[in-house]
Amino acid sequence: MRAIIVAGAFAVATVPAVAADFPSRPVEVVIPFAQGGGTDQVGRALAEYMQNHLGGDMYASNREGGSGAVGFRHGADAEPDGHVITMLVTTLTTAPHTIEGYPVTYADFEPICLISAPPVVMSVKADGDIQSVEDLVAKAQEGGRTLTFGTAGPGSYTHLAGVAFTQAAGIEGRFVPHQGSSPVLTATYGGHIDVALSEAAEAMPWNADNRLKTLAVFDDSPVPGLDAPTAQDQGYNVQVGAFRGIGAPRGTPSDTMGILIEACRATTEDAAFQDHMATLGVEVDPIFGEDFGSWLAGQHETFASAAEAAGL
Amino acid sequence: MRLGRTTIERLFLGLIILLAATLTPEAMRVGLWRSGMPGPGLYPLLLLAMILGISLVLSLPVGAAPDSEPPALRVERPGDIAIILFALVAATILMPFLGFRVVVLAFSGILMVWLAEQLTFPRIAIITAMTLVLSFGLYSFFASVFRVYLPVGRLTGL
Amino acid sequence: MSDILTTILPVLDPQMLALLFGSVALGIVAGALPGISATMGVAIASPLTFTMDPLSGILCLLGVYCGAIFGGSISAILLGIPGTPGAVATTFDGNAMAKRGEAREAIGIAAISSFFGGIFSALVLGGLSYPIASFALAFGPREYLALVAFALTAVASLSGTAFLRGALTGFLGLFLATIGIDETFGISRFHYGSSYLIGGIAFVPVMIGLFAIPEVLATLETRLRAPKLPSSKGFLPRLTGLHRLLPTQMRSSVIGLIVGAVPGAGADIAAIVSYAQGKTWSRHRAEFGKGSPHGLASAETANNAATGGSLIPLLTLGIPGGAVTAILLGTFMIHGLQPGPLLLENNATLVYQIFFGFALANFAMLGIGYFASSLLGKVLLVPQHLMATVILVLCIVGAYAIRNNVSDIATMLAVGVFGYVLLKLDFPRAPLALGLILGPMLEAEMTRTMLVMDHWLDFFSPISTVIWLLAVLVIALPGLSRLARNLRSRRRQSAGMPASEQK
């Protein structure tokens, strides 16, 4: 008997409070990748801080699989009422060009905001015989052995950055894919591969304790906290980077979008959120709404040409 | 149902061989060799070849275990097993539409009633309580403690 | 002496101890629930640590981690559903023991074995981290490939005499792992246009379908009456005879620690490899799979030893070896700490506090597990019709919760039916699980090895050659010893000894 009353109480408790406004129930932040990765950490932090500014609970859910295909597809197919938002990351703009049959593109989403856009950097073992980009190019041109470049995965932005660089420098490179950037940095330090391609934030700790040396930043300005010149400065105009933002399903009404965009703006201006992101090495550099949309389209095109150039 | 064990086994292995054969074209389609190294299809093709080969060997009379007669294959209570499987299939199909709570309420209620040997009054009360705990109770527990939201039905909103 | 005291005192502070105890308890519950894996438990707890001080935050997550790895054994033993991937090998003997009415003993053994493995790894972590970490750094693609091959040899021992059948299911598992996007070229394979399959086959639904569903169906067939109350009275499991498990636990701890320390391999692989090694070498190997405490101990000691093991590359080199350590890495960074060679130099006190706290967490886990075993054991007195239904509902929850994907329930069901057929036809199912877990690693390392090789002979390196030889040895040894025994008995036969006196 008691069990039934308790069970009944549970049932009543879960009926959401009647509210005409958005959000009327907890908002899901879809993370199209597994727990522990960079996107997961940013996504969980975002959910944690943004819920204070949105006026409703937010929770993160991991829906990994197919290089993000599963999660992105779920987010794109969700009810366009704003209760399911998705982490939009670089893979969304690279995978359609490199993975056959990739079922989703940036056009399936309404852009809410861009949170950060870190560039790719190139690093080598600190005590090795390569100490600068010139050394690298020279060694590659020496012949004898093709240099190995570690990437975070086939067709990933790290791979595309590497291809863009080797083409600009006119050298050969063998691209070795890994599961994410962390194994790449480890393998480079262990001497198993020659060059590591990764995000700036991931390479920073390895630079700080002198295990790896970052040779170049693939952006138009150097990264604060990282003592490395841009590739442009050394004569190779390569600018490839990653990004992390959020989006809602296409067709979400504009007033709901307005609420979400405002909440995101408030979150990026939240000092606690900024501090948290800083400790993760993420530089918050927001772009909102429509602007983010056009920026995304630009990224999609950039990667389209990069992929073509790479022969993928 | 009394089909000979070796016959059933051969049928099973035959199905596996058929499956492996059906999958082979796809393995070849994605490419066995690509840019100077083994392509994405080569490794799966080798696996399929091993699966085919081993299944063939096992289905030959020589390949079978040479020791004592294998025990006869029996499925006890095939009715119960069939009901359970049917219920599971129905639950899986209906889950996206009716949601976790409704489906599990029905599923557990039906199964517990079917499997119970006698339906005495106290049992019915326990079954009712358990179905509520398993459906609504589990849903609330996972949602509140772990922020894991079990499926919500498109049609029912539950 | 006073140095040591000042270091560990903050860990012994009542608030910290309460937090540690609470985290371990939460972890145990999370691990015991099918559907919440250890990784999920840690991920869910991590936002809670944002506002804590570094030591509390990290110890909280470590508590959840080791609690969850033990907790997985609870549902594995009682329900036959591995609560976390690390508990797959626990199902084999743990569930069999529970069916004999020894659920309480099984959980007690699981608690003690988990404790043994955890403390062992904590001690190694405290003492030998740097040598082990440097060793782990030497692992490149060739070494990883050799390691995966070594782990795959477990198929042999997991299949027993039905080697060919085990090989078949093993290859099936390896094949299942190829469905989805290929890691080297980014080409998607065998998905036939389905946006579900493009994501690949997830391990947890397969694990639940392969082991839990056939057991439920088989149990219903035989309509087992609820097991009688354990013969021994008293509240706690018996302590006598536990010392006999020590050799098994020692061996499993070492295996678990090494596998855990290798980035990319975690508690799940550790448990299976340890179980398989136990089945190859242990004196009690004939009993493995039928409810042997040694089988249970092999699995549970290894998976907890892997928890400490995985901390070694993280704390010494800043390398996260898996999802949980990646989350831990993030937590360190949020609190302004950078794991790596400099961590010990700059924050020695904190590091030793972490080691100590981790050891304490294992004590908490032992206490909770041991004392809860009696209560938990009673769960099995629930009548069959209720139990089967509860298990099936938990299977559904478990299959869904891991990726929030409804289609995973369908996968679990399909694999469940297949697993039932395998059970009925006497095909070993464990190799399929092993193939699925190791498949991606095998292919990826093969490819990477080929990419870094400059010429054919470059395939072998000092470490990888040793591992390959070990792998060959493990496969060949049982066969060789059987050959030796046959030769010996034939010699005696020809010498005129009656058959009954031949060894």
Side-chain angles (χ1 to χ4, degrees):
Chain A
M1 216 358 95
R2 228 179 286 156
I4 301 182
I5 298 178
V6 171
F10 262 134
V12 170
T14 57
V15 170
V18 176
D21 284 350
F22 167 79
S24 58
R25 60 177 193 277
V27 172
E28 179 185 355
V29 179
V30 176
I31 301 175
F33 300 95
Q35 289 113 356
T39 312
D40 180 62
Q41 299 194 6
V42 174
R44 281 179 187 272
L46 186 72
E48 206 49 37
Y49 289 95
M50 193 163 152
Q51 59 188 355
N52 303 328
H53 302 280
L54 186 64
D57 259 357
M58 291 178 80
Y59 68 99
S61 76
N62 298 84
R63 294 177 185 264
E64 69 263 23
S67 285
V70 173
F72 287 135
R73 193 68 253 168
H74 176 92
D77 290 341
E79 270 295 305
D81 59 2
H83 289 99
V84 177
I85 62 178
T86 313
M87 289 289 296
L88 303 181
V89 301
T90 336
T91 320
L92 185 61
T93 52
T94 59
H97 313 295
T98 59
I99 293 178
E100 185 189 286
Y102 201 74
V104 69
T105 71
Y106 76 96
D108 295 311
F109 293 95
E110 298 276 0
I112 299 176
C113 64
L114 173 75
I115 299 182
S116 71
V120 176
V121 304
M122 197 165 62
S123 321
V124 294
K125 200 156 188 244
D127 52 10
D129 48 1
I130 302 177
Q131 289 292 315
S132 69
V133 178
E134 285 121 47
D135 291 346
L136 181 66
V137 176
K139 185 136 191 225
Q141 288 170 337
E142 228 172 76
R145 226 185 101 239
T146 323
L147 294 181
T148 49
F149 288 76
T151 73
S156 63
Y157 56 91
T158 49
H159 185 179
L160 295 174
V163 172
F165 171 73
T166 49
Q167 292 191 338
I171 57 176
E172 287 279 307
R174 231 185 308 168
F175 295 97
V176 186
H178 293 72
Q179 277 277 51
S181 297
S182 181
V184 175
L185 296 164
T186 310
T188 310
Y189 179 55
H192 304 287
I193 51 178
D194 300 304
V195 185
L197 295 160
S198 70
E199 266 182 57
E202 290 161 326
M204 273 204 281
W206 296 82
N207 272 273
D209 44 32
N210 257 316
R211 290 181 286 165
L212 295 179
K213 184 181 161 74
T214 299
L215 299 179
V217 175
F218 292 122
D219 200 14
D220 51 10
S221 53
V223 175
L226 197 61
D227 179 26
T230 66
Q232 210 172 7
D233 281 349
Q234 303 186 53
Y236 306 103
N237 190 7
V238 179
Q239 291 186 34
V240 180
F243 67 84
R244 293 204 178 97
I246 42 176
R250 175 134 304 246
T252 307
S254 49
D255 39 10
T256 312
M257 286 301 293
I259 300 176
L260 285 167
I261 294 177
E262 271 321 297
C264 184
R265 187 187 305 272
T267 311
T268 54
E269 287 164 7
D270 183 338
F273 178 71
Q274 288 176 343
D275 287 339
H276 188 127
M277 288 291 110
T279 59
L280 288 178
V282 174
E283 211 187 306
V284 179
D285 207 359
I287 307 180
F288 301 98
E290 293 280 305
D291 297 332
F292 179 35
S294 8
W295 188 88
L296 266 179
Q299 286 293 97
H300 185 94
E301 287 316 310
T302 312
F303 283 118
S305 11
E308 237 190 276
L312 292 169
Chain B
M1 188 164 51
R2 278 230 176 204
L3 273 183
R5 188 204 185 89
T6 18
T7 321
I8 297 190
E9 220 173 80
R10 291 220 179 103
L11 265 166
F12 172 69
L13 290 167
L15 274 166
I16 301 231
I17 293 177
L18 198 68
L19 196 65
T22 321
L23 292 166
T24 309
E26 169 80 0
M28 312 204 52
R29 184 186 73 82
V30 287
L32 296 180
W33 202 258
R34 204 181 259 256
S35 23
M37 49 182 282
L42 186 64
Y43 170 73
L45 190 70
L46 290 172
L47 292 177
L48 286 172
M50 291 301 297
I51 292 174
L52 241 140
I54 299 181
S55 305
L56 272 168
V57 170
L58 281 174
S59 49
L60 297 174
V62 210
D67 17 33
S68 53
E69 270 293 304
L73 190 68
R74 288 226 63 186
V75 178
E76 310 282 341
R77 319 184 91 93
D80 279 353
I81 306 282
I83 294 274
I84 292 180
L85 289 177
F86 178 73
L88 280 170
V89 171
T92 310
I93 297 179
L94 292 171
M95 187 86 61
F97 303 101
L98 300 181
F100 179 83
R101 285 170 281 195
V102 170
V103 168
V104 169
L105 188 74
F107 175 81
S108 50
I110 294 174
L111 265 189
M112 285 200 251
V113 166
W114 174 267
L115 293 174
E117 273 155 19
Q118 305 156 298
L119 276 182
T120 59
F121 182 67
R123 276 216 186 157
I124 296 185
I126 295 181
I127 290 182
T128 317
M130 295 269 340
T131 57
L132 283 171
V133 167
L134 286 174
S135 53
F136 288 80
L138 267 182
Y139 184 92
S140 307
F141 178 65
F142 272 78
S144 51
V145 177
F146 295 105
R147 306 265 231 131
V148 170
Y149 290 80
L150 295 165
V152 171
R154 246 173 271 163
L155 300 176
T156 62
L158 266 183
Chain C
M1 193 61 200
S2 65
D3 263 346
I4 300 182
L5 273 178
T6 40
T7 307
I8 66 177
L9 224 50
V11 186
L12 293 173
D13 163 76
Q15 230 177 4
M16 181 74 76
L17 286 178
L19 177 70
L20 203 60
F21 192 83
S23 315
V24 172
L26 182 68
I28 294 181
V29 171
L33 284 170
I36 314 269
S37 64
T39 312
M40 279 177 76
V42 176
I44 291 167
S46 76
L48 299 174
T49 65
F50 291 169
T51 48
M52 295 182 196
D53 64 276
L55 184 62
S56 306
I58 293 167
L59 285 183
C60 171
L61 293 184
L62 285 179
V64 172
Y65 186 29
C66 60
I69 296 284
F70 159 64
S73 69
I74 297 180
S75 64
I77 291 170
L78 295 178
L79 308 172
I81 310 176
T84 64
V88 176
T90 315
T91 351
F92 305 153
D93 283 287
N95 195 227
M97 281 182 76
K99 293 209 168 108
R100 280 208 304 252
E102 291 168 24
R104 191 180 67 185
E105 276 66 37
I107 297 180
I109 292 177
I112 290 185
S113 304
S114 300
F115 170 75
F116 193 93
I119 290 291
F120 177 83
S121 67
L123 287 172
V124 173
L125 185 63
L128 293 173
S129 315
Y130 280 94
I132 294 186
S134 317
F135 179 67
L137 254 191
F139 269 65
R142 299 174 194 82
E143 289 75 22
Y144 276 110
L145 181 61
L147 201 65
V148 175
F150 179 76
L152 277 173
T153 60
V155 169
S157 49
L158 289 173
S159 326
T161 45
F163 179 64
L164 216 53
R165 290 159 176 251
L168 179 65
T169 48
F171 277 110
L172 283 172
L174 285 174
F175 179 77
L176 274 182
T178 63
I179 300 179
I181 295 182
D182 155 56
E183 249 193 64
T184 318
F185 295 96
I187 307 276
S188 105
R189 304 180 285 200
F190 303 111
H191 74 285
Y192 294 102
S194 147
S195 61
Y196 168 66
L197 286 179
I198 213 176
I201 307 276
F203 178 64
V204 170
V206 171
M207 174 182 82
I208 296 180
L210 202 57
F211 296 110
I213 304 256
E215 287 306 318
V216 173
L217 296 177
T219 312
L220 275 170
E221 275 188 71
T222 54
R223 270 310 165 101
L224 268 186
R225 322 215 95 243
K228 304 191 192 78
L229 271 173
S231 43
S232 51
K233 306 275 194 300
F235 188 60
L236 296 171
R238 282 165 303 185
L239 279 170
T240 54
L242 281 174
H243 62 277
R244 277 185 235 122
L245 289 174
L246 277 171
T248 305
Q249 290 170 328
M250 262 323 288
R251 181 188 59 235
S252 309
S253 297
V254 174
I255 295 177
L257 184 90
I258 294 179
V259 175
V262 172
D268 45 1
I269 300 181
I272 297 186
V273 171
S274 168
Y275 183 84
Q277 290 301 308
K279 214 162 177 231
T280 314
W281 305 104
S282 168
R283 242 186 299 163
H284 311 267
R285 56 182 174 272
E287 291 300 308
F288 270 53
K290 303 191 189 120
S292 152
H294 290 268
L296 179 58
S298 298
E300 273 302 305
T301 318
N303 60 24
N304 275 79
T307 59
S310 66
L311 289 178
I312 293 180
L314 177 70
L315 290 176
T316 55
L317 299 172
I319 301 172
V324 174
T325 37
I327 298 173
L328 283 170
L329 177 64
T331 309
F332 270 96
M333 290 172 74
I334 288 170
H335 289 107
L337 299 162
Q338 181 54 49
L342 291 179
L343 187 67
L344 196 58
E345 271 181 49
N346 301 336
N347 302 85
T349 321
L350 181 69
V351 175
Y352 284 110
Q353 285 169 339
I354 292 177
F355 294 159
F356 187 62
F358 177 65
L360 277 185
N362 278 282
F363 276 94
M365 174 188 73
L366 175 68
I368 299 177
Y370 207 70
F371 279 90
S373 60
S374 184
L375 199 70
L376 292 168
K378 297 236 170 53
V379 166
L380 283 188
L381 295 176
V382 172
Q384 266 309 309
H385 62 280
L386 291 185
M387 204 47 170
T389 316
V390 171
I391 294 180
L392 289 174
V393 171
L394 287 175
C395 285
I396 293 177
V397 173
Y400 173 79
I402 212 72
R403 290 200 293 190
N404 292 301
N405 194 331
V406 195
S407 310
D408 279 340
I409 305 179
T411 305
M412 174 202 68
L413 188 54
V415 174
V417 172
F418 187 69
Y420 181 61
V421 174
L422 289 177
L423 179 69
K424 282 287 167 190
L425 291 175
D426 274 328
F427 278 82
R429 290 165 287 152
L432 202 155
L434 190 63
L436 185 59
I437 300 180
L438 290 175
M441 257 184 99
L442 178 68
E443 198 186 354
E445 297 306 337
M446 272 195 322
T447 315
R448 277 200 274 278
T449 304
M450 279 190 285
L451 281 170
V452 300
M453 263 167 40
D454 290 321
H455 45 85
W456 280 106
L457 280 172
D458 206 12
F459 181 81
F460 293 103
S461 70
I463 298 181
S464 71
T465 317
V466 170
I467 303 181
W468 279 109
L469 285 174
L470 275 171
V472 170
L473 196 73
V474 169
I475 288 217
L477 212 66
L480 284 175
S481 66
R482 220 179 301 147
L483 200 72
R485 230 180 301 140
N486 285 345
L487 284 173
R488 230 181 296 149
S489 70
R490 228 171 284 153
R491 215 178 299 148
R492 285 209 192 91
Q493 213 169 28
S494 60
M497 267 181 84
S500 55
E501 293 197 13
Q502 290 169 21
K503 269 270 197 65

